[in-house]
Amino acid sequence: MICNNITKDSRGKLYFAGMDVSDLAKSFGTPLYLFDEERIRSNCRVYTEAMKKYFPQGSSVCYASKAASFAEIYRIAMQEGMCVDVVSRGEIYTALKAGFPLKRAFFHSNNKTDEDIAFAIERGIGYFVCDCEEELLFISSVAKERNITQKVILRLTPGIDPHTYEAVATGKVDSKFGSAIETGQAFDITRTALSLEGVELCGFHCHVGSQVFDSTVFFDAAKIMLEYVARVKAELGYEAEILDLGGGYGVRYVEDDPFIDIGDNLRLVSEFVADLCKKLSLKLPKIHMEPGRSIVADAGMTLYTVGSVKRIPGYKNYVSIDGGMTDNPRFALYGSKYTVLCPDKMNEENTFSCDLVGRCCESGDVIQESIKLPATVKRGDLIAVCTTGAYNYSMASNYNRLPRPAIVMIRDKSARVVVERESLEDIVRLDK
Ligand code: LLP
């Protein structure tokens, strides 16, 4: 199986996090997002334990909550001793509602509005990850008005191609995110940050991309960033306390995807950072990482019910399900791969070639193309799409006025609803 929290019994029934998924579908209905709490926690611990071990000078792991943002996730992150990366007032508000201490939150986004900045400062956000000079100036003015000193980290673009798909490559010089080192804009904003009242510069940040399998990308990023830290120390007399290397480690969606040993990667990054700091005569900065996908992706699964099975002789076959791009837009957006299973037919051979499509009124509403399912697949059967914990619920929409599915969290073989299924009343709630 693609992940070891997915198993089957001798009758050919699919289990997720130790629970029979057909029972879950019966109890909670479909479409349904499932989350495996133990897996989320163990993924958090892979990071927190490795970071503690390999970065004794101090480190933090910030869960990038854009991957899956709902109150229970912030509670779990808090209990696991994580910080969080938030990108909007919505994420901040959700974290607050969950009781997450905002001192441990890092506010990202390439375009924080005046209202966002005031909102975050008022509620005591720990750090701004500042994208550009205009934002920095505004933060400084709000902080001064309130007589506080706001901690900031500067997001820089190191000019690295992470070899992933274009929509999630963010570290290149022409990226919409951050201030580029190559163009001199990083240096300008650093000088400004050091001269401004109301802000305290705490270090630098970069995030080169997402679903990255090439580990050298993180070494390249660390090298460029540390050389920059050394230049700033030499020319401006400021030595960064924090170096945030962002998120991005890739996860396995299909059997062909490689497996990344994150603990081992972090050990190698730590050795690389320590060596380079010695060469550059820098003190070891506190290293921060911001994983999103690798915390929640394999802790998720989506269940659907088959509606129609359409055979177009001489052309192709479609299996339509009761969800679609509204609960998982990732194939439509990026052509993302997924492993698709038939939970009640795990002992049957997969011989029926088809596209798995949603119920939205457009042809691009595809969950996965050219897959194989059992030839007996028919209306009423269950379908499971694996590894949907990251960027599925968080990117869901109400296109065609489809209500969003519920989220069920599984722990110790017991399931509880952590986000209710939207009702038709929810759909019209804001209409006048
Ligand atoms: N830090 C920053 C500043 C980021 O922009 C991101 C992701 C992360 C951390 C977390 O990266 P991760 O560990 O999850 O790869 N919607 C796309 C992914 C967009 C990623 C955006 N930024 C998808 O579904 O693949």
Side-chain angles (χ1 to χ4, degrees), residues 226-363:
L226 284 169
E227 284 170 355
Y228 181 75
V229 170
R231 177 178 166 214
V232 169
K233 182 183 172 194
E235 295 181 32
L236 300 176
Y238 166 76
E239 191 164 354
E241 181 200 333
I242 294 174
L243 176 60
D244 189 327
L245 295 173
Y249 279 118
V251 303
R252 290 182 79 225
Y253 287 97
V254 289
E255 297 289 343
D256 286 349
D257 286 335
F259 172 78
I260 294 197
D261 183 334
I262 289 180
D264 211 40
N265 264 269
L266 294 177
R267 178 179 60 78
L268 295 173
V269 172
S270 74
E271 288 166 6
F272 183 85
V273 166
D275 268 7
L276 196 56
C277 282
K278 207 180 265 170
K279 278 191 203 123
L280 296 169
S281 305
L282 292 172
K283 65 172 197 242
L284 281 171
K286 285 184 187 150
I287 299 292
H288 288 206
M289 297 291 292
E290 284 167 355
R293 192 188 311 270
S294 50
I295 299 293
V296 286
D298 66 2
M301 175 182 273
T302 310
L303 300 181
Y304 301 102
T305 304
V306 173
S308 66
V309 177
K310 184 172 287 178
R311 295 172 170 84
I312 310 178
Y315 290 88
K316 66 195 295 189
N317 305 315
Y318 290 101
V319 171
S320 297
I321 39 135
D322 56 354
M325 66 194 296
T326 42
D327 61 77
N328 182 358
R330 296 192 68 255
F331 183 84
L333 281 171
Y334 323 117
S336 303
K337 294 235 163 63
Y338 282 102
T339 299
V340 180
L341 302 171
C342 243
D344 295 316
K345 299 183 168 176
M346 294 298 291
N347 283 346
E348 290 183 32
E349 241 186 284
N350 292 325
T351 53
F352 180 62
S353 299
C354 58
D355 286 4
L356 185 72
V357 298
R359 58 183 297 188
C360 292
C361 292
E362 66 174 80
S363 304

Side-chain angles (χ1 to χ4, degrees), residues 66 85 155 165 207 210 248 290 292-293 330 334 391 395:
K66 69 205 81 179
D85 151 355
R155 177 160 183 174
Y165 46 105
H207 169 77
S210 199
E290 284 167 355
R293 192 188 311 270
R330 296 192 68 255
Y334 323 117
Y391 304 109
M395 293 175 79

